[in-house]
Amino acid sequence: SNTEVVGIRLLDELGQTAQEPAPYPDDGLARYLAAMLYSDSGRPDDARISFEAAQKAYARYKSLYGLEAPALAPPGVPETMGELVLLHYNGPAPRKVAVSAAAAESAPADGKTQGGLAGAVGTIARTASGATMAVVGAALNTSYPRYRQDVPRIAGSAVETSVGTVATELFTDVYSIVSRDLDEDAAGLKARSTLRATLKLAQQAVTGVNASGSEFADVRSWSTLPAQIRMARAPLKPGTYRVLVRRLDAAGLAVS
C-alpha cells in the first residue's frame, strides 16, 4: 500500500540522516510488518530485504534499550496455509513529568556532552547561583522533562484457536525507546533551562521583578501511544475457527 511504502521510505531516510550513535536509528517492528506484507503480496525479494532489516534493527535493541529481541520467524507461510496475526497494543502511553531542581544540581559539571555546552553552562550556573543568592536572595531553579510509565495490570496475552495457543511476544517497548531518546537530549534541556533561569535572576537583580518561578518544562507527549506492542502469529489451514484472546497479568492469569 502507499502508506506502507511511505513508512519504509521514512525509516530509510531516518537511517541515512540520523547522527551516530542515534537513539532511534530504525524500527524493528515496522520492518518486520513490512516483510510480512511484502511476502503476502507476492514480493519475496522485498520481503527478504525487510526481514533482514528487522533482524539488524532488533540486534541493536539490547545495547540501545536493554530489550531482548523477539523470535523472528520468517515472514512467509506455506501456500496451503493462511495466518492469523494478533497485534496487541497494551498499556497507557508513557507520560512526561516535570523535574525541578536547583541549577547547580541539575547542570552537568563536565564538558563532555554536546561539545562542552552543558558543562560550560553548569559552571556558569554554579557561579551565578552563588552570586544571585547573595544579590537577590534566590537560587537558580530549573525544570526539565522526564518520562514516567504507569505499569499496566495486563502484562501479556495469548491467542487461542482449536489447534492450539500462541503467546504474544514483546516487539516494541515504547517507554524504553522514548526514554532513551529523551535522555540523549537531557544535558541540552538542563543547560537551556539553566541559562533561562540565570537570565531571569539577572533580570530580577536589575528590575526587582521575581520571575524565578516561571521556569516550566515542556511536558507535551504523544498520549495515544501504547506502553508496548505485542504480537503473535498463528498459521492456520483454510477453514472456520473460534478465536479467543486472553489478556494476562504478570502471573500468567487471565484478566479478560
Side-chain angles (χ1 to χ4, degrees):
S1 68
N2 290 334
T3 302
E4 168 198 333
V5 172
V6 170
I8 295 302
R9 286 179 178 173
L10 286 173
L11 284 176
D12 289 339
E13 183 177 352
L14 176 66
Q16 294 169 3
T17 59
Q19 296 181 355
E20 292 291 340
Y24 179 64
D26 207 342
D27 191 282
L29 176 59
R31 297 291 189 181
Y32 191 58
L33 289 175
M36 294 167 61
L37 291 169
Y38 282 136
S39 177
D40 192 54
S41 60
R43 298 164 62 179
D45 289 338
D46 290 327
R48 175 184 54 79
I49 292 171
S50 291
F51 182 55
E52 291 173 354
Q55 291 175 309
K56 182 178 179 181
Y58 276 119
R60 303 181 65 180
Y61 273 35
K62 180 69 174 179
S63 61
L64 286 173
Y65 317 120
L67 301 174
E68 298 293 341
L72 298 179
V77 295
E79 292 184 1
T80 58
M81 303 284 282
E83 186 175 35
L84 171 64
V85 179
L86 171 67
L87 286 171
H88 177 191
Y89 282 44
N90 182 43
R95 54 190 175 89
K96 280 182 181 177
V97 296
V99 178
S100 298
E105 299 172 0
S106 64
D110 61 81
K112 297 179 181 179
T113 305
Q114 295 192 353
L117 171 62
V121 174
T123 301
I124 294 172
R126 283 184 290 275
T127 303
S129 185
T132 53
M133 176 63 76
V135 175
V136 299
L140 290 172
N141 292 311
T142 66
S143 185
Y144 55 93
R146 301 290 292 178
Y147 273 108
R148 180 172 295 169
Q149 179 65 64
D150 297 320
V151 180
R153 181 185 178 193
I154 296 172
S157 52
V159 57
E160 178 183 317
T161 67
S162 57
V163 297
T165 300
V166 181
T168 61
E169 287 190 88
L170 179 62
F171 273 73
T172 298
D173 186 309
V174 175
Y175 172 71
S176 297
I177 294 174
V178 297
S179 294
R180 170 63 192 270
D181 188 62
L182 186 63
D183 285 346
E184 290 292 311
D185 198 31
L189 292 171
K190 293 177 183 180
R192 290 190 289 273
S193 180
T194 298
L195 183 57
R196 289 192 300 268
T198 303
L199 294 175
K200 289 173 183 177
L201 282 181
Q203 180 184 27
Q204 179 179 344
V206 174
T207 65
V209 178
N210 186 356
S212 60
S214 63
E215 186 61 26
F216 297 103
D218 183 353
V219 293
R220 292 174 296 176
S221 59
W222 192 349
S223 61
T224 57
L225 287 174
Q228 55 181 219
I229 303 176
R230 309 181 65 86
M231 182 165 63
R233 297 176 57 192
L236 298 171
K237 293 179 180 180
T240 302
Y241 296 86
R242 179 177 180 269
V243 177
L244 179 64
V245 176
R246 300 185 190 276
R247 299 172 183 85
L248 311 173
D249 63 15
L253 301 177
V255 175
S256 63

